[in-house]
Amino acid sequence: MKRIQNSYKFFLCAVLLFLSIDNLYSAPLLNLQNNTRQYNVNPHLDYLIDKKGTLTIDDIIKRKSFKVNIRKTPNFGFTKSVIWYRFSIKNVNHSNVQWEMHFEPPGVDFLTLYEVKDSKIIKVYKNGLSVPAYKREVKSHFPIFRLSQPISVTKTYYFRVKSAYANYANIVMIKKESAFNFLLVKLMGSRLVLIFILAIVLYNFILFLSIRDPLYLFYVLYYVLSLNYMMIFEGTMNYQFGLSYKWNWKVLILFGNSSLPFILL
């Protein structure tokens, strides 16, 4: 009987140790090299779920309950929780190089990046749909942050993410000199999809005018709503209208968030 009890205790301790092992380690440091132009930050992420959304950056810096991200893309689905990401970067180059950090998805409502060194906040960057495009450092519907990483200096960064849409993260670090080509490829992809959908809309509308079958008008409506959904989710609608009409930025955010459920229907 005693042997069974001891075996049970040993098994219970092993399970508890396994469940808490994520809290004992941090994700590996990201070393920036001269010969590499682009880095995937996801393998270097720790994360913390703030269910109430009440934790401040000062609380977060002191927290030791971060978990190491072991997924290719950390994905928390549709959640009301605030997700915090933490990662550390060291520049081992022989020269100071300007870097850009690109965050996906673009359709994040509230996105804040904290730059921390020796537990002190150096700089705060704000982005996401809540920040009008004309107030962003980089005029793009993609959340982009320009960072300075001095030689042999280690900095820790914290992302605070809250979104009404799917809450996941793809974070890429790119040399500023190569960032334009990276962004151009992404823009070309979204523009090709836009042109394709517009061509389908025009084709079905022409068929409706010639055949007078209401089914084609239904197709037109369906693809227009699909296009609207894509533009809201990618932040394109808010970006385009936000640059033209600065006064109605909050109205556009409200429209985008409230109309999405009806579009999905």
Side-chain angles (χ1 to χ4, degrees):
M1 187 70 180
K2 220 179 239 189
R3 184 178 295 177
I4 295 175
Q5 288 179 344
N6 290 335
S7 300
Y8 176 76
K9 288 179 181 178
F10 176 79
F11 175 76
L12 184 61
C13 289
V15 170
L16 291 174
L17 180 63
F18 176 78
L19 292 175
S20 62
I21 195 167
D22 280 343
N23 299 330
L24 300 177
Y25 301 98
S26 296
L29 178 71
L30 173 58
N31 291 308
L32 303 178
Q33 306 283 348
N34 249 337
N35 55 355
T36 307
R37 295 180 177 274
Q38 180 177 325
Y39 293 91
N40 179 12
V41 182
N42 284 14
H44 305 273
L45 290 178
D46 299 317
Y47 69 90
L48 183 145
I49 302 174
D50 179 11
K51 293 184 178 179
K52 295 182 179 179
T54 56
L55 296 177
T56 65
I57 181 59
D58 294 321
D59 299 326
I60 288 296
I61 291 174
K62 298 173 185 176
R63 287 281 173 134
K64 297 183 179 180
S65 52
F66 274 85
K67 294 184 178 180
V68 177
N69 172 51
I70 58 174
R71 292 175 289 182
K72 183 178 179 180
T73 301
N75 191 337
F76 301 92
F78 289 84
T79 176
K80 294 182 179 179
S81 302
V82 171
I83 309 299
W84 290 86
Y85 296 103
R86 179 184 68 187
F87 52 96
S88 297
I89 298 176
K90 183 178 181 180
N91 181 11
V92 294
N93 286 333
H94 298 295
S95 59
N96 288 327
V97 179
Q98 295 296 316
W99 293 84
E100 284 190 359
M101 185 173 294
H102 293 235
F103 186 96
E104 290 185 354
V108 174
D109 289 320
F110 301 95
L111 181 63
T112 308
L113 176 64
Y114 297 91
E115 184 179 331
V116 177
K117 184 177 179 291
D118 299 327
S119 299
K120 294 181 180 178
I121 301 170
I122 300 174
K123 193 172 181 180
V124 180
Y125 308 80
K126 290 187 179 292
N127 210 306
L129 297 182
S130 61
V131 179
Y134 58 88
K135 288 186 177 181
R136 298 180 186 181
E137 183 181 7
V138 181
K139 301 297 186 294
S140 171
H141 64 278
F142 295 107
I144 300 174
F145 306 87
R146 286 182 177 157
L147 308 177
S148 178
Q149 195 73 23
I151 304 170
S152 301
V153 173
T154 300
K155 291 182 183 179
T156 302
Y157 295 90
Y158 294 85
F159 264 119
R160 184 186 186 276
V161 186
K162 182 173 177 57
S163 180
Y165 309 123
N167 202 325
Y168 66 92
N170 278 317
I171 306 173
V172 180
M173 195 84 166
I174 310 170
K175 284 185 178 180
K176 188 179 177 181
E177 60 196 45
S178 306
F180 177 77
N181 293 334
F182 177 81
L183 189 60
L184 184 62
V185 171
K186 292 169 67 175
L187 287 172
M188 284 178 62
S190 62
R191 293 300 182 266
L192 286 173
V193 174
L194 174 63
I195 293 171
F196 177 73
I197 295 178
L198 287 175
I200 294 177
V201 169
L202 181 61
Y203 173 74
N204 283 280
F205 185 68
I206 292 173
L207 286 177
F208 167 72
L209 292 178
S210 58
I211 304 176
R212 297 295 178 177
D213 187 340
L215 182 62
Y216 291 104
L217 192 60
F218 171 79
Y219 288 150
V220 169
L221 180 61
Y222 173 77
Y223 283 110
V224 166
L225 290 178
S226 299
L227 180 63
N228 189 42
Y229 167 75
M230 186 189 78
M231 293 180 70
I232 291 172
F233 184 73
E234 288 191 350
T236 310
M237 177 177 289
N238 308 69
Y239 172 71
Q240 298 292 348
F241 283 95
L243 285 178
S244 303
Y245 306 102
K246 299 181 181 182
W247 56 271
N248 66 348
W249 182 261
K250 291 183 179 180
V251 176
L252 286 167
I253 297 297
L254 180 63
F255 169 74
N257 289 339
S258 60
S259 66
L260 186 57
F262 298 100
I263 294 170
L264 292 176
L265 289 176

